[in-house]
Amino acid sequence: MRLDHTAEDEEFRARLREWLAVVLPKLPAKPSPADWPGRRAYDAGWQRALYDAGYADVHWDATPARRLIFLEETEKAGAPYVGANFVGLLHAGPTIAAEGTPGQRDRWLGPILRGEEIWCQGFSEPEAGSDLAALRTRAVRDGDAYVVSGSKIWTSHAEVADWCELLVRTDPAAPRHRGISWLAMPMDAPGVTVRPLRTLAGSTEFAEMFLDEVRVPVSHRVGAENDGWRVTMVTLSFERGTAFVGEVVACRRTLGELARAARANGRWDDPVLRRRLGRLHAEFGALWRLTQWNVSEAAGAGVAGSGVAGVPGVGGSVFKLRYSHARQELYEAAAEVLGAGSLDLDREWVLDRLSSLSYTIAAGTSQIQQNIVAERILGLPKGR
Amino acid sequence: MDFQLTEEQRDLRAGVRDLLAGRYGRDALRAAVDSGPVVDRRLWQELGGAGFFALRLPEAAGGVGLGMPEAVLVFEEAGRALLPGPLVATHLAAGLVPGAAEGRAVVTAYDFGAGGPVAYLAESDAVLGAAGPVTGEPVASVDPLTPLSRVAGPGVSPYRSGGFGGLVDEGALLTAALQLGSALRTVELAVEYARTREQFGQPIGAFQAVKHLCAQMLVRAELARTAVYAAAVTGDAAEIAGAKLLADEAAVLGARDCLQVHGGMGFTWEADVHLHLKRAWVRAEQWRTAAEAEELLAAELLGVE
Ligand SMILES: Cc1cc2nc3c(=O)[nH]c(=O)nc-3n(C[C@H](O)[C@H](O)[C@H](O)COP(=O)(O)OP(=O)(O)OC[C@H]3O[C@@H](n4cnc5c(N)ncnc54)[C@H](O)[C@@H]3O)c2cc1C
């Protein structure tokens, strides 16, 4: 059990820190959340800067230390987070690295790393959320293409995406988990319509997507035909297992800021609030250690030849359950620090409080994660 | 960074588990509950012989020369087995009180905070930090295997003011490790029961309400595990306080949920669940309470940039 870093890794940290100190002051101003083209350009620009400096693939690096150091340092320095690159960098890319052909890796991984192409995730449908295998969007083979029709919903970043990791039903006669395929669909293909959906935070984070006889080349299928459920499990493992770890560092920073704000406005004198913040400090500290544990565990089994770390295990569900809850508790504590100020949307942390509500729903609800933990880790019988 | 157990650490843990299963299995546990709380001196010496107390003493001083991560793994197993006795205090006394390292002496401590009771006072040869003999009046202890005594005088450990690297931190961390073992064991007990007990024509573990209780038990125990292991590696006082806080929570809530999963059986003396719960309550009051840990962590928060 080691938590210290090698001299080379510490050198990596020092270089990164130096680089951040130079580039961050030159960064353009952050666009408003409603300005999608602006956000896309901003996130793409940051990814390109990382690429040029040799840091673009750090999320895929098979050595856990580098990745975690990167997350720590970028967060501490207040650097931009992955933003619109979330899906491409944190789960579509790693899935293609793990399951794609060499040709597919060549086609898609480079543009993701250079920030040239943005991905979205077309899994959920109006009638298939938690019960993802109930999806109905169908793909019928026509020569060297699939003709795709159906609809998707809650598709984050769909407005600005170039590609969609799309789940389709390729064999309606097969048992529901066996007739699904995983496709990379170009978002500019004829027949794709995106209609923004407003979230409770007032933003348009996600969208509905209507697919009307969209032609997707058969060569864009990742994994075998009708084997898409297995590929999906790989995608979900990355999504639940590693995609949120960077945010833990951000939460720890927020917690420190909350404590200082509470001291400034006198609420720190309330022992109930103070103890609540103290407990959250323990919580986020332990979540960061859990991350280090999970990432160390997955590092053993890297994806051969891809330079990509191994598929995270179901331990990711343990992390996601606790983290999504802790994040909501953090912003409830923030509201307590703000008092009536928490009703002002322009105040810091108020939008975060609203958006934290999605964490126990998106990427698999807490109820579904608890089923997964109970059945796959604890071995309890399936049932109702 | 490789935050996983090494081969040697896995072997150590497995070895201790085997030793305790053979020497203090369920029958021994229940026999101890029936006969009342007297420390089994022969077992104590066997533990001493196995290096339980001298684990962290340097080899030059007749110890095993291992570190806090190894001690935590050993205490995790003791917690799983519900091994009674002032294990933490005697371990801390190794090298300070003659005979403690070898398990010839049973040593307790003022680990309950000002005015709190002392555990195993009548069974112990010494109280850590006390200049002379200590006497007290027995208290009707909630835990059948942890006798408690009310003592006259301050009843405060001279070490309790100790900061970084002090005995209090070490005591808190080892107690957290005991809580962790208990928490992991109650997950197992709940899951075993949920898989076999049938109602409405199926195992109760197939019902989501039961599944979700079990899943949350595991989540709390796993978070406590990484917190305890990490604190053992860093030795950081705030991280130790956090580990104690999370391990107390995992043990206490884990035992309560385990009791719920056992239904009416869980409320009986026969089921072991109550023993885990009562011990978890005792340990939650030892070395660092939740209130102390939270205040310490809150204070540290203001220093974090
Ligand atoms: C901010 C945000 C972003 C999202 N981004 C994307 C995206 O980019 N791409 C994408 O494909 N999807 C996305 N989603 C969709 C998300 O994956 C689904 O909302 C989620 O899987 C839940 O499905 P649902 O909304 O249909 O809820 P439902 O499945 O209808 O669930 C409703 C309630 O019932 C409970 N429930 C359902 N089934 C069970 C069960 N078996 N046992 C116990 N309880 C159950 C749920 O826990 C929930 O509380 C996003 C969602 C949010 C909120």
Side-chain angles (χ1 to χ4, degrees), chain A residues 286-331:
Chain A
L287 280 165
W288 180 246
R289 297 309 190 192
L290 181 59
T291 292
Q292 292 176 316
W293 183 267
N294 285 345
V295 172
S296 294
E297 193 172 41
V303 177
S306 66
V308 171
V311 180
V314 273
S317 290
V318 171
F319 172 81
K320 208 238 164 200
L321 270 168
R322 189 80 182 209
Y323 169 62
S324 56
H325 182 70
R327 188 181 175 96
Q328 291 173 354
E329 290 301 305
L330 173 68
Y331 288 107

Side-chain angles (χ1 to χ4, degrees), chain A residues 79-150:
Chain A
Y81 193 48
V82 286
N85 287 305
F86 184 88
V87 171
L89 266 180
L90 299 183
H91 51 89
T95 302
I96 292 166
E99 296 290 332
T101 62
Q104 290 174 333
R105 292 182 191 174
D106 283 349
R107 167 62 191 86
W108 285 306
L109 299 187
I112 290 174
L113 292 180
R114 291 190 294 272
E116 291 159 3
E117 293 181 346
I118 302 293
W119 283 67
C120 66
Q121 180 190 42
F123 283 13
S124 305
E125 297 183 6
E127 306 301 326
S130 299
D131 188 10
L132 187 53
L135 66 92
R136 292 189 203 159
T137 294
R138 63 185 188 283
V140 182
R141 200 140 166 182
D142 178 28
D144 60 0
Y146 290 107
V147 179
V148 180
S149 292

Side-chain angles (χ1 to χ4, degrees), chain A residues 87 120-132 152-157 199 205-206 239 358 360-368 371, chain B residues 208 212:
Chain A
V87 171
C120 66
Q121 180 190 42
F123 283 13
S124 305
E125 297 183 6
E127 306 301 326
S130 299
D131 188 10
L132 187 53
K152 296 285 172 178
I153 192 169
W154 306 302
T155 316
S156 302
H157 308 139
T199 72
E205 288 302 319
F206 51 32
E239 185 177 12
S358 75
T360 47
I361 298 169
T365 71
S366 289
Q367 286 68 39
I368 296 300
N371 289 348
Chain B
Q208 240 180 22
H212 290 189

Side-chain angles (χ1 to χ4, degrees), chain A residues 1-6 9 64-65 68 76 252-253 255-257 259-261 263 268 271 274-283 285-298 317-319 321-322 366-371 373-375 377-384, chain B residues 1-6 9 69-70 73 187 190-191 194-195 202-216 218-220 222-227 229-234 238-239 241-243 245-246 249 290-295 297-305:
Chain A
M1 273 194 301
R2 303 177 61 98
L3 286 162
D4 55 344
H5 296 296
T6 62
D9 286 339
L68 297 176
K76 274 190 202 148
R252 297 184 78 182
R253 199 181 57 191
L255 195 54
E257 290 166 1
R260 286 190 290 278
R263 196 168 55 173
W268 188 253
R274 216 167 48 225
R275 286 186 54 184
R276 185 173 182 182
L277 295 177
R279 183 168 280 264
L280 281 166
H281 187 20
E283 184 93 10
L287 280 165
W288 180 246
R289 297 309 190 192
L290 181 59
T291 292
Q292 292 176 316
W293 183 267
N294 285 345
V295 172
S296 294
E297 193 172 41
S317 290
V318 171
F319 172 81
L321 270 168
R322 189 80 182 209
S366 289
Q367 286 68 39
I368 296 300
Q369 305 294 347
Q370 289 180 109
N371 289 348
V373 167
E375 289 168 11
I377 301 181
L378 297 176
L380 287 171
K382 284 194 178 276
R384 270 157 296 123
Chain B
M1 186 199 76
D2 179 18
F3 190 35
Q4 291 284 303
L5 297 192
T6 63
Q9 287 169 337
E70 287 75 23
L73 294 174
V187 179
V191 169
R195 288 163 79 159
Q202 58 179 331
I204 56 168
F207 297 113
Q208 240 180 22
V210 174
K211 256 184 209 169
H212 290 189
L213 275 178
C214 294
Q216 287 299 339
L218 182 77
V219 170
R220 286 191 300 257
E222 287 299 324
L223 193 72
R225 186 209 292 277
T226 41
Y229 290 0
V233 172
T234 64
E239 189 147 28
L245 191 65
L246 293 169
E249 177 193 79
E292 289 168 341
E294 284 166 350
E295 288 288 5
L297 284 156
E300 208 226 22
L301 207 45
L302 278 182
V304 169
E305 275 316 308

Side-chain angles (χ1 to χ4, degrees), chain A residues 231-244:
Chain A
V231 183
T232 302
M233 290 304 114
V234 172
T235 308
L236 294 183
S237 301
F238 282 112
E239 185 177 12
R240 290 161 190 173
T242 48
F244 295 106

